[in-house]
Amino acid sequence: MLVGDTYTLINYVSFINYLCYGVTILGLLVLRWRRPALHRPIKVNLLVPATYLVFWAFLLVFSFISEPMVCGVGVIIILTGVPIFFLGVFWRSKPKCVHRLTESMTRWGQELCFVVYPQEAPEEEENGPCQASPLPATDKPLKTQ
């Protein structure tokens, strides 16, 4: 959005999209070779994704030759997500403060984009209208007199 020109922004994003499409098709081929017995709801002939990858590689190389600046900025835009991935997903033993920060940023982003229906906080769920009985539960029936 800082570019100012919508046409240039569309070029950046379209390059990123095509790059991701090709990597996705490449992943499909890798899974077909490494895990051939994996269940697939739709199975196509390997000639289709292989042909797509040939044309994709040609267009990607042609894009790099014709507009290297746009492609370079597109790659930089993708690489800005790498530190966020390592901070939020890959780093498993992070301190609680970093975990709380990533959780709150995720929730804020979801609410900002209306992606996920806002859920109540855990404290509100525990003290909601259907509270648990304060008496301990027993397996024996109560005696009535």
Side-chain angles (χ1 to χ4, degrees):
M1 297 303 293
L2 298 176
V3 173
D5 183 22
T6 306
Y7 178 73
T8 307
L9 184 63
I10 290 171
N11 283 342
Y12 295 154
V13 172
S14 64
F15 173 76
I16 293 169
N17 281 338
Y18 292 130
L19 184 64
C20 292
Y21 296 157
V23 170
T24 301
I25 298 298
L26 187 64
L28 173 124
L29 289 175
V30 167
L31 281 177
R32 286 283 291 266
W33 282 314
R34 289 193 180 168
R35 297 185 180 180
L38 193 65
H39 171 71
R40 291 172 178 83
I42 299 172
K43 199 169 186 178
V44 297
N45 188 348
L46 288 179
L47 186 62
V48 174
T51 306
Y52 178 86
L53 276 180
V54 168
F55 285 107
W56 170 80
F58 171 74
L59 290 174
L60 205 65
V61 168
F62 182 71
S63 295
F64 268 115
I65 293 170
S66 66
E67 294 191 49
M69 185 67 173
V70 171
C71 297
V73 171
V75 169
I76 290 171
I77 290 172
I78 289 176
L79 292 178
T80 58
V82 172
I84 303 300
F85 170 77
F86 279 107
L87 181 67
V89 177
F90 187 74
W91 186 18
R92 299 277 184 201
S93 60
K94 53 188 159 240
K96 282 190 176 187
C97 63
V98 175
H99 182 70
R100 282 193 305 265
L101 175 70
T102 57
E103 289 292 321
S104 65
M105 293 294 289
T106 301
R107 182 175 174 90
W108 176 79
Q110 289 173 346
E111 289 176 355
L112 178 71
C113 297
F114 298 109
V115 178
V116 176
Y117 184 77
Q119 299 174 355
E120 296 178 1
E123 298 85 27
E124 295 173 2
E125 290 176 4
E126 292 176 357
N127 299 327
C130 300
Q131 295 181 2
S133 172
L135 300 174
T138 60
D139 293 335
K140 298 179 185 176
L142 296 174
K143 294 182 184 179
T144 57
Q145 292 181 356

